[in-house]
Amino acid sequence: MAAEVLVFNLLSGIAIVSAAAMIMMRNPVHSAIALVITFVNVAAVFIMLRAEFLAVVQIIVYTGAILVLILFVLMLVNPDELPDFHGARPMQQIFGFGLGIILLAEIAVAILTRTVVAEPGPWTEDGMAAVGGNVQAIGQVLYSGYVLPIQATALVLLAATIGALFLGRPDEDEEPTPSRRTVATISLAHTRGSDQDEIPALSSANIKHEAGDRDLIMARDADEFTSTPEDDQKGQQE
Amino acid sequence: MSSWLFLIPLLPLAAAVINFLFGRWFLQHASQWIATLAVAASFVLSIPVFLQIASDEQSISQHLYTWIPAGDFNIPVTLFVDQLTATMLLVVSGVGLLVHIYSIGYMHGDPGIYRFFSYLPLFVFSMLMLVLADNFLVLFVFWEAVGLCSFLLIGFWYRRRSAASAAKKAFIVNRVGDFGFGIGILLIFVTYGTIEYAGVFGQVGDATQTTITVIALLLFTGAIGKSAQLPLFVWLPDAMEGPTPVSALIHAATMVTAGIFVIARAYPIVSQSADAMLVIAIIGAATAFIAATIAVTQYDIKKVVAYSTVSQLGFMAFALGSGAWIAAIFHLVTHAFFKGLLFLGAGSVIHGMHEEQDMRKMGGLKKYMPLTYWTFLIGAAANAGIIPLAGFWSKDEIILGTWLGDQPIIMVVAFITAFFTSLYMFRAVFMTFHGEERFDAEQVHPHESPRVMTIPLVVLAFFAVTVGFIGFPPEDGWFHHFLDPVFPGMPHPDVAWSTIVLFAAISTVIALSGLYIQYMAYVKRSISPRGISELLGPLYKLAANRWYLDEIYDVLIVRPLVAFSMFLWRFVDAQVIDGTVNGVGSLVTYTSNQWRRAQTGLIANYVFAIALGAVIIIGAFMIFGSNLFE
Amino acid sequence: MNELMPEHFMFLSAALFIIGMVGVLTRRNVLVIFMCVELMLTAVNISFIGFAWEFSQLTGQIFALFIIAIAAAEAVIGLGIIMALTRQRDTVDIDEVRELRQ
């Protein structure tokens, strides 16, 4: 049995060391590679803990998908243009490590002084073998007791996909075409927009000429027309 | 029969709702027919109820639903008809119907006509429910509902400032009485544990004499407000700002008699307390006398009739207080007819005179509006107590009742008041219809009112002549035997014929003397009214200024109240309350501004706060153990 | 220590979680912070799976599965936001993003 512990310790050691390396690395690409090592080791730990299916999922989703995605993003961000920085401000570093140490101490005390008591379930090694293995067991439990949550998760994933499409859509054209704009003001003096043709200062033909193809319903004064699409654009960027 | 009893109040309610919802855009003038038909149906349905009660002498009741079921506190909505209610049903729906018909002519062309014909049936509904109630809470609800209708209708022409303030005055003054009434009902519940008539009246004797007296007086407080008794009658004359049909229906025939009705209804309680009855008698007599003296001095034809109403209500009140219960209800019925007639007649005059109400600008109208003249004369004579019209029988019986009830002082006051009644009624008749024409013939062309207005006058005049005979002979008439079961245990003294004749003779002499004096004054002109008023000097001024009651209230109540309200506004509200509120606001703004600095916008800081929180919580958990949150 | 004990995976989970937390606290590159968050999620997964192993239950594994699914969604959105940030601001320095202040 000692071999099992030895293997576990080895895997955990590599995982922890590479995790520490991940946050220490100066280059984000190196960090990502260190994270891959951690994840692979964690997947191995999962196998030791009778979670073969999750180990595979871990490799496929995390190392296969998410980290590749991260690396893609890293490539897209031009490293030369990144500001030269490594860590945060010194105070932030001190507080960060301090908090980490305190929390580690607390959790260590918790792990060593307390025991978790629970009723053992039916899914021992033999129990899983009886239904055909870990994947079958998970399938059985998942699709009998967690149908609604899994559908909700599917919805979340769908929403995330749409959100990603939205976030990643290409920028608008460099020179936006002036959008058709409707100027509607509430007139105090007339009811229900009846003063459409009661703009004494500017004749309607005049307005049409000045404002291009914009729709003009009514306005109280000429200032209403002085803002152009360019102005609006500037206002949005500020 | 009891199964369709609910239709009697329901139909006017339905008419009111329909007219209110659809009147403005769809019905307009059609609303008047809906309202009139609904009230007519109520009246027609009331007749068999009355006949059945008269033949069986059994009360009818119909349980509709339970309004408040709360443990022992159960408020059922049950319609209950006995002899008293049946009488009131006929009076309310009958006079109501005539007033509706009359209003069709009177309100013709008014843009708010749909509103008028939605409030008016609503009032009829409320009044019917008030008399049909079988417990005090339902009674109180509809007691307030008729007050609301009164408010709405007095202020019907709400663009007129005087109408709006008169409506407010009526509402607020009534609140004073209703407050006492409400406390009285609470006291009944506390004392007897129920507020249903049957339950309360069955155990009246269980309470102490003092409690009974207090309850009776509190109920009478409500009646003081609603039935315009001293000292709260000031609202009724002002209520004449409303349309005249409203004055006829609400402020003469029905609503103001609700107070009398309630006292009669609470007969088992009130009759147990001699003190309360004495108070009622004194207040009633004082009201009758004071209002009659004021009426003699008024020039506004509607005001004369209004003060006359107050005075007659005083008659009913002291009749109740003297133990002449049936006479009071009898007078209520006859009064409803002849006072409704007088108001509608006055309305007809005003209508024909192009909204002129001042009698000094009338005179000689007899030849222009003969039908109005004759019917008004009948009403006035009935009110003044000329034999053999309705008012004579009931008033005579009340005065007889005071004598039988051993209240000689009140009897004397009653005779004096009867004299004044005759004075002001015939003064109004002669000033309006006789003598020279004092109006501007260029501007005003008096004319008879349309038939839709005169027919109700004729019908009411017919009743004003005949309805008195249901109480003939006095103290032994059909009406007495009919109402007798409502007032169990009431003494029936034997009255000698000679006594009855003596009282009738005195009443007649008094009434005719009033007629004679006014005839001499305004037709023959051998007596100068001005001379008399100068002769009386301060007394005349006192009466002409309505005994300065409004001024007294102004000084004693209104001004201190306004001053106190100003104090509350300027100091308590503007300084203390606003200061507190604004202070809290400023404090929040200040502290928020301080705390805003914590929001650096640096995500690292937020994450740090989260991590710190985790460390603290886990640390606390480790130190204090798992019972930290217990 | 001859046998695999619960303390083993608990310490592993705690160590990875705290390393991730320290990384989030001390680094300024949004991408590194993002990776640290993923590490923390994985650390939690170890705990779930470990307890499931200890008590012969499958609930922990189910939870871990959901966490991975949600993490995938979170990664997609997070990276999308980082892309947008880079395009708009031309930076991945978290300290330069201070819009939350307003």
Side-chain angles (χ1 to χ4, degrees):
Chain A
M1 287 301 165
E4 198 179 10
V5 178
L6 197 66
V7 172
F8 185 92
N9 287 343
L10 192 65
L11 292 173
S12 337
I14 296 171
I16 291 169
V17 167
S18 57
M22 188 265 285
I23 64 167
M24 296 300 187
M25 289 294 179
R26 208 170 269 277
N27 189 335
V29 180
H30 295 173
S31 291
I33 291 165
L35 193 60
V36 169
I37 300 169
T38 310
F39 280 169
V40 169
N41 280 286
V42 167
V45 169
F46 283 1
I47 293 174
M48 292 192 70
L49 295 173
R50 288 204 305 272
E52 295 87 353
F53 177 66
L54 282 170
V56 175
V57 170
Q58 171 86 4
I59 300 259
I60 294 173
V61 174
Y62 271 117
T63 42
I66 295 179
L67 273 168
V68 168
L69 212 55
I70 290 173
L71 283 172
F72 264 123
V73 174
L74 277 173
M75 299 307 158
L76 284 174
V77 179
N78 188 354
D80 293 339
E81 287 186 5
L82 288 179
D84 185 28
F85 64 87
H86 174 227
R89 300 175 185 84
M91 284 299 280
Q92 209 174 326
Q93 300 233 11
I94 292 168
F95 275 118
F97 280 108
L99 269 186
I101 290 163
I102 296 171
L103 194 60
L104 187 66
E106 280 175 355
I107 293 178
V109 171
I111 291 171
L112 292 175
T113 57
R114 310 210 168 208
T115 47
V116 182
V117 182
E119 199 70 17
W123 300 105
T124 55
E125 199 145 15
D126 298 339
M128 283 201 213
V131 294
N134 176 251
V135 180
Q136 282 85 346
I138 285 191
Q140 215 168 68
V141 175
L142 195 61
Y143 290 104
S144 55
Y146 297 89
V147 176
L148 217 58
I150 211 155
Q151 299 203 347
T153 314
L155 269 181
V156 171
L157 283 169
L158 178 68
T161 314
I162 296 170
L165 282 174
F166 176 76
L167 285 169
R169 78 196 190 289
D171 278 335
E172 300 289 327
D173 296 341
E174 296 303 311
E175 275 182 44
T177 51
S179 58
R180 287 169 65 83
R181 195 179 60 151
T182 301
V183 181
T185 56
I186 295 167
S187 161
L188 294 174
H190 305 278
T191 52
R192 301 188 185 183
S194 63
D195 55 347
Q196 186 168 354
D197 41 18
E198 291 195 25
I199 305 168
L202 299 163
S203 75
S204 62
N206 207 358
I207 292 165
K208 279 252 167 63
H209 175 69
E210 281 185 12
D213 60 350
R214 280 182 285 163
D215 273 354
L216 291 170
I217 290 195
M218 55 190 162
R220 298 305 299 163
D221 53 30
D223 286 349
E224 197 55 52
F225 308 114
T226 52
S227 81
T228 59
E230 286 74 28
D231 290 342
D232 292 352
Q233 199 67 25
K234 233 179 266 171
Q236 275 172 14
Q237 278 166 0
E238 275 163 15
Chain B
M1 158 157 300
S2 60
S3 57
W4 46 262
L5 201 56
F6 70 97
L7 283 176
I8 296 177
L10 184 68
L11 288 170
L13 174 66
V17 171
I18 290 172
N19 285 344
F20 194 80
L21 291 182
F22 307 114
R24 183 165 181 183
W25 287 284
F26 304 111
L27 297 171
Q28 286 295 351
H29 275 68
S31 59
Q32 64 199 25
W33 300 113
I34 294 174
T36 310
L37 279 178
V39 177
S42 284
F43 175 65
V44 170
L45 288 175
S46 303
I47 294 172
V49 173
F50 183 84
L51 292 179
Q52 185 183 337
I53 296 273
S55 62
D56 297 5
E57 303 198 345
Q58 291 285 317
S59 57
I60 311 169
S61 64
Q62 181 185 14
H63 178 74
L64 294 184
Y65 61 96
T66 303
W67 176 28
I68 304 176
D72 294 341
F73 185 69
N74 233 328
I75 305 298
V77 177
T78 302
L79 304 182
F80 169 79
V81 187
D82 65 353
Q83 286 82 353
L84 181 58
T85 304
T87 312
M88 291 299 288
L89 277 184
L90 273 192
V91 170
V92 172
S93 59
V95 178
L97 173 61
L98 292 171
V99 168
H100 272 74
I101 296 172
Y102 178 91
S103 304
I104 293 173
Y106 191 87
M107 299 302 289
H108 182 76
D110 193 291
I113 191 159
Y114 72 93
R115 223 157 29 88
F116 186 81
F117 278 104
S118 125
Y119 296 158
L120 212 54
L122 183 65
F123 166 76
V124 173
F125 159 72
S126 309
M127 191 69 201
L128 289 171
M129 283 304 292
L130 191 154
V131 298
L132 282 166
D134 95 320
N135 64 58
F136 280 105
L137 192 65
V138 174
L139 172 82
F140 186 66
V141 168
F142 289 100
W143 176 273
E144 295 295 340
V146 292
L148 168 71
C149 294
S150 163
F151 167 80
L152 290 172
L153 285 163
I154 295 170
F156 180 72
W157 288 312
Y158 54 86
R159 287 175 193 277
R160 224 193 264 164
R161 183 175 282 275
S162 58
S165 52
K168 271 190 291 184
K169 184 173 178 180
F171 205 66
I172 293 166
V173 170
N174 262 304
R175 288 284 77 63
V176 179
D178 295 352
F179 182 63
F181 194 61
I183 294 178
I185 291 172
L186 286 179
L187 192 57
I188 287 175
F189 180 69
V190 169
T191 312
Y192 299 111
T194 177
I195 53 170
E196 284 171 66
Y197 292 158
V200 174
F201 298 157
Q203 47 179 338
V204 169
D206 297 357
T208 61
Q209 189 63 36
T210 320
T211 315
I212 294 175
T213 305
V214 171
I215 290 175
L217 286 178
L218 285 171
L219 291 180
F220 183 62
T221 315
I224 286 178
K226 192 120 296 189
S227 290
Q229 299 294 299
L230 203 70
L232 297 180
F233 71 71
V234 289
W235 68 269
L236 188 60
D238 285 18
M240 297 305 132
E241 286 292 339
T244 308
V246 171
S247 309
L249 178 59
I250 298 186
H251 306 117
T254 54
M255 186 191 83
V256 289
T257 60
I260 307 299
F261 168 80
V262 163
I263 299 299
R265 179 97 282 174
Y267 163 81
I269 298 177
V270 179
S271 62
Q272 293 301 309
S273 167
D275 297 341
M277 284 181 63
L278 186 63
V279 170
I280 295 172
I282 291 172
I283 288 181
T287 309
F289 176 71
I290 290 177
T293 55
I294 296 173
V296 177
T297 61
Q298 297 299 306
Y299 288 107
D300 183 328
I301 185 168
K302 279 184 79 177
K303 286 271 165 70
V304 173
V305 187
Y307 280 107
S308 158
T309 305
V310 177
S311 174
Q312 300 303 313
L313 289 168
F315 262 87
M316 295 176 212
F318 75 69
L320 294 172
S322 316
W325 299 86
I326 293 178
I329 301 300
F330 184 30
H331 195 56
L332 190 161
V333 173
T334 58
H335 175 257
F337 287 109
F338 65 68
K339 191 52 58 70
L341 170 62
L342 283 173
F343 264 116
L344 296 187
S348 179
V349 169
I350 294 165
H351 194 72
M353 292 292 292
H354 307 292
E355 309 305 321
E356 181 56 63
Q357 303 198 3
D358 194 335
M359 291 195 292
R360 282 170 296 194
K361 294 180 183 161
M362 295 178 185
L365 294 178
K366 181 181 169 186
K367 66 174 183 237
Y368 296 105
M369 31 182 87
L371 208 52
T372 305
Y373 166 67
W374 285 110
T375 50
F376 193 86
L377 182 66
I378 289 171
N383 195 359
I386 302 289
I387 194 164
L389 302 175
F392 167 77
W393 300 109
S394 53
K395 190 177 294 180
D396 187 43
E397 200 171 304
I398 286 176
I399 298 174
L400 188 61
T402 57
W403 186 68
L404 293 173
D406 212 13
Q407 306 275 16
I409 298 170
I410 288 177
M411 184 185 76
V412 172
V413 174
F415 273 127
I416 297 171
T417 309
F419 174 67
F420 276 107
T421 308
S422 177
L423 276 184
Y424 65 69
M425 263 352 293
F426 287 110
R427 174 172 170 271
V429 171
F430 293 139
M431 273 186 88
T432 309
F433 293 101
H434 289 266
E436 65 198 46
E437 299 173 5
R438 290 182 298 274
F439 50 86
D440 185 358
E442 302 276 311
Q443 303 284 327
V444 181
H445 305 285
H447 58 84
E448 184 61 282
S449 300
R451 197 160 297 165
V452 72
M453 287 168 70
T454 50
I455 286 174
L457 290 179
V458 174
V459 174
L460 281 172
F462 171 75
F463 281 112
V465 175
T466 56
V467 81
F469 292 104
I470 62 170
F472 180 81
E475 291 297 318
D476 198 28
W478 174 83
F479 196 65
H480 296 83
H481 297 294
F482 176 68
L483 276 185
D484 215 33
V486 182
F487 305 109
M490 195 179 67
H492 293 281
D494 284 328
V495 195
W497 266 101
S498 54
T499 320
I500 293 174
V501 172
L502 176 67
F503 271 86
I506 298 174
S507 293
T508 308
V509 167
I510 284 175
L512 289 178
S513 61
L515 168 65
Y516 177 74
I517 290 172
Q518 296 297 355
Y519 182 74
M520 297 307 284
Y522 288 99
V523 182
K524 287 286 170 203
R525 303 214 153 271
S526 53
I527 303 175
S528 163
R530 188 177 298 269
I532 294 176
S533 60
E534 277 166 8
L535 191 71
L536 290 171
L539 284 178
Y540 176 82
K541 272 186 83 175
L542 184 66
N545 286 300
R546 301 178 294 276
W547 289 54
Y548 296 103
L549 272 176
D550 278 326
E551 287 76 7
I552 291 169
Y553 287 156
D554 192 49
V555 171
L556 285 187
I557 297 169
V558 177
R559 281 192 201 167
L561 198 62
V562 168
F564 183 61
S565 304
M566 291 296 277
F567 165 76
L568 286 181
W569 169 38
R570 290 264 160 78
F571 179 73
V572 177
D573 187 53
Q575 308 273 318
V576 178
I577 294 177
D578 284 2
T580 312
V581 172
N582 291 341
V584 169
S586 325
L587 192 69
V588 169
T589 311
Y590 176 77
T591 40
S592 306
N593 268 325
Q594 300 306 308
W595 277 107
R596 202 164 67 99
R597 293 158 195 246
Q599 300 293 325
T600 54
L602 282 174
I603 292 166
N605 288 9
Y606 300 139
V607 176
F608 180 77
I610 295 172
L612 190 66
V615 167
I616 289 170
I617 288 174
I618 295 173
F621 200 74
M622 295 316 300
I623 293 167
F624 298 108
S626 55
N627 51 0
L628 175 63
F629 300 108
E630 284 170 12
Chain C
M1 219 182 268
N2 297 326
E3 234 177 303
L4 199 54
M5 301 286 287
E7 283 79 7
H8 285 104
F9 66 80
M10 283 199 233
F11 270 115
L12 173 62
S13 170
L16 291 183
F17 186 87
I18 286 163
I19 289 168
M21 192 189 87
V22 170
V24 170
L25 285 174
T26 55
R27 297 301 299 264
R28 287 166 67 186
N29 188 333
V30 183
L31 279 157
V32 177
I33 288 175
F34 186 80
M35 288 188 266
C36 290
V37 171
E38 298 294 335
L39 184 64
M40 289 162 80
L41 283 169
T42 305
V44 172
N45 275 352
I46 294 171
S47 267
F48 269 117
I49 291 168
F51 281 113
W53 164 80
E54 186 189 351
F55 297 112
S56 308
Q57 297 269 15
L58 269 187
T59 320
Q61 296 200 11
I62 306 280
F63 264 80
L65 190 62
F66 281 122
I67 289 173
I68 291 173
I70 300 298
E74 174 251 346
V76 169
I77 296 293
L79 289 171
I81 290 173
I82 292 171
M83 285 295 295
L85 187 71
T86 321
R87 262 209 307 264
Q88 202 116 64
R89 292 295 181 80
D90 208 18
T91 181
V92 286
D93 185 352
I94 194 112
D95 285 2
E96 288 187 16
V97 186
R98 302 186 68 162
E99 262 71 34
L100 276 179
R101 188 177 192 175
Q102 295 303 324

